[in-house]
Amino acid sequence: MRILWFALMVLCLPLSPVAANERVASLEAGAGRYVFEDLATRQEVGVYYYQPSNYTPDTPIVLILHGLRRNAKEYRDNWAELAEREGLMVLVPRFSTQAYPGGNGFNLGNVFKAGSAEQARGFTQLEEMNPPDQWVFTLVERVFADFRAHRSHSDRETYYLYGHGAGAQVAHRFAMFMPESNVEEIIVGAAGWYTMPDETIAWPYGTGGVPMLNATALEDFFSQPMLLLAGGADTATLHTVMRQTPETNAQGETRVDRTRHYFEFGERQARSLNTTFNWRHWVLPGVTHSPSQMTPFAARYIASRAR
C-alpha cells in the first residue's frame, strides 16, 4: 500500500521545466512574490518569499505554512528580518479558500473529499479520499521542487517545514502522510489539537478509517525528526478558535496540555512498536499564541540545525 501511494505522489511532482514556470536567473534579494502554476491542480499559487542578501546555493530553505487566516504575506513579513540575519531562504505559499476550503481543505490537508459546507468544516469522518495530488502536503513538495528547478539555483535537496496554529496542524499531518518527502525536519508551533496516531479513534481525531496509516506508516512517522513547540503562556480556553469537542478535550485543556499529551502518547506508541522516536517537545516560557513571538525561536533553531 505504501509503495502504491508513494508512486502516486511521485507522479504529482513536476518532471521537467514547463513554459509557465520557466527558470529565471535568480529571484531578487529581499521580499517578493511569484506565482507557481501548479499543473497537478491547475491553479495559480502565490508564493511569498524572502531571499537573504547573502544567498548561495547552500542557503537552507524553509517552507512556512500560514495560519487560519491564510495570511501568507504577513507570515513572510514576520520572518523577513530573521531570514536576513540567520541566512534562510523563506517560502510561504498561500493556500486559497477556493482550492482548499475550510478546516478539511487546509488544516486536515484536503485528504478527504468534502461534499458540503458542513463537511468542509472538518468535524466529521468522510468516506472518499482525494487523489494525493489534491492534498495540501503534495503541493508543499511541488513548491519546493519548483523553487529548485525554476527560481533560484539551490544545491539543497531537503527543506525545513514550519507551521504555526492551523499551519502546525497541517505540519504534523504532513509527517503522517508523507513518509518519503524531502523534509529535513518539521517544526510544529502551537497546534490547537492533533490527529492522534491511534487507530481506535476515528479520523480526524485519530487514524481510524485511514487504511494507509497502518503500523508500518506509523514507524516512519515516529522516525521523522519533528519538534513540537508550545508557548508557556498559550493557555487561553475561552474566546479562542481552539477546537472544543469531546475528542479534542480528551487531549487536554490548553495547547500546552495537548502538545504534551500528543508527544507522550507518540513516545509510548513508538516504544510499543519498538521503533525509533525522533520527536522533541519544548515549551517556550512567556510565549502566547502569537506567530511573531514564536518565529524568532524557530528561525534560530532552524539555522542552528541546518549548519
Side-chain angles (χ1 to χ4, degrees):
M1 178 65 75
R2 275 187 65 225
I3 294 174
L4 173 59
W5 281 104
F6 177 56
L8 289 171
M9 286 187 283
V10 168
L11 291 176
C12 299
L13 300 177
L15 300 180
S16 60
V18 294
N21 294 316
E22 286 186 10
R23 174 185 285 280
V24 296
S26 179
L27 296 175
E28 294 183 1
R33 177 184 181 274
Y34 64 86
V35 175
F36 165 49
E37 296 193 18
D38 183 32
L39 300 183
T41 58
R42 298 182 181 180
Q43 64 167 313
E44 294 186 347
V45 180
V47 180
Y48 293 86
Y49 73 86
Y50 189 89
Q51 182 163 293
S53 57
N54 62 348
Y55 180 86
T56 72
D58 193 45
T59 296
I61 299 170
V62 187
L63 264 290
I64 296 171
L65 299 165
H66 56 62
L68 182 68
R69 293 188 291 129
R70 317 287 177 119
N71 48 342
K73 181 180 182 297
E74 183 178 337
Y75 270 72
R76 188 277 314 279
D77 292 345
N78 283 337
W79 274 77
E81 182 178 343
L82 293 158
E84 180 66 34
R85 182 189 309 160
E86 301 293 345
L88 301 173
M89 180 71 218
V90 165
L91 303 173
V92 193
R94 185 180 183 278
F95 295 87
S96 72
T97 55
Q98 291 75 27
Y100 303 96
N104 179 74
F106 182 60
N107 303 36
L108 302 181
N110 206 41
V111 173
F112 285 88
K113 182 176 293 185
S116 67
E118 178 61 28
Q119 291 180 346
R121 296 177 63 212
F123 278 75
T124 57
Q125 183 172 17
L126 305 179
E127 297 296 328
E128 184 179 355
M129 296 186 75
N130 279 318
D133 64 5
Q134 304 296 309
W135 299 351
V136 167
F137 318 130
T138 56
L139 179 57
V140 172
E141 286 279 286
R142 293 193 296 274
V143 168
F144 173 67
D146 170 77
F147 173 79
R148 296 188 70 235
H150 306 300
R151 309 302 166 180
S152 296
H153 174 62
S154 176
D155 292 334
R156 289 275 177 170
E157 297 182 353
T158 60
Y159 62 95
Y160 291 81
L161 183 65
Y162 172 77
H164 181 275
Q169 293 194 37
V170 177
H172 86 274
R173 295 179 183 110
F174 179 105
M176 284 184 158
F177 285 92
M178 301 291 286
E180 306 288 348
S181 76
N182 293 294
V183 166
E184 185 73 29
E185 186 168 359
I186 298 174
I187 297 88
V188 178
W193 61 280
Y194 297 86
T195 293
M196 303 301 295
D198 185 346
E199 65 181 3
T200 69
I201 303 174
W203 176 268
Y205 304 103
T207 56
V210 188
M212 62 181 297
L213 296 182
N214 53 26
T216 301
L218 290 182
E219 289 181 7
D220 293 329
F221 174 51
F222 294 133
S223 66
Q224 166 67 58
M226 185 160 64
L227 173 62
L228 303 173
L229 296 177
D234 190 359
T235 56
T237 58
L238 298 176
H239 309 295
T240 174
V241 297
M242 186 174 66
R243 186 173 293 193
Q244 305 285 358
T245 66
E247 297 89 350
T248 59
N249 291 338
Q251 299 176 15
E253 184 177 2
T254 69
R255 288 183 176 87
V256 176
D257 298 330
R258 293 178 181 187
T259 301
R260 181 186 304 111
H261 173 76
Y262 182 67
F263 175 82
E264 292 176 350
F265 186 87
E267 189 174 36
R268 291 195 299 272
Q269 289 286 79
R271 190 180 303 119
S272 70
L273 293 171
N274 194 30
T275 193
T276 303
F277 186 65
N278 279 334
W279 300 3
R280 302 181 184 196
H281 168 228
W282 293 347
V283 177
L284 307 180
V287 172
T288 65
H289 193 63
S290 167
S292 61
Q293 291 182 13
M294 194 166 280
T295 296
F297 173 82
R300 288 191 295 268
Y301 175 81
I302 291 171
S304 68
R305 296 283 285 177
R307 293 184 170 85

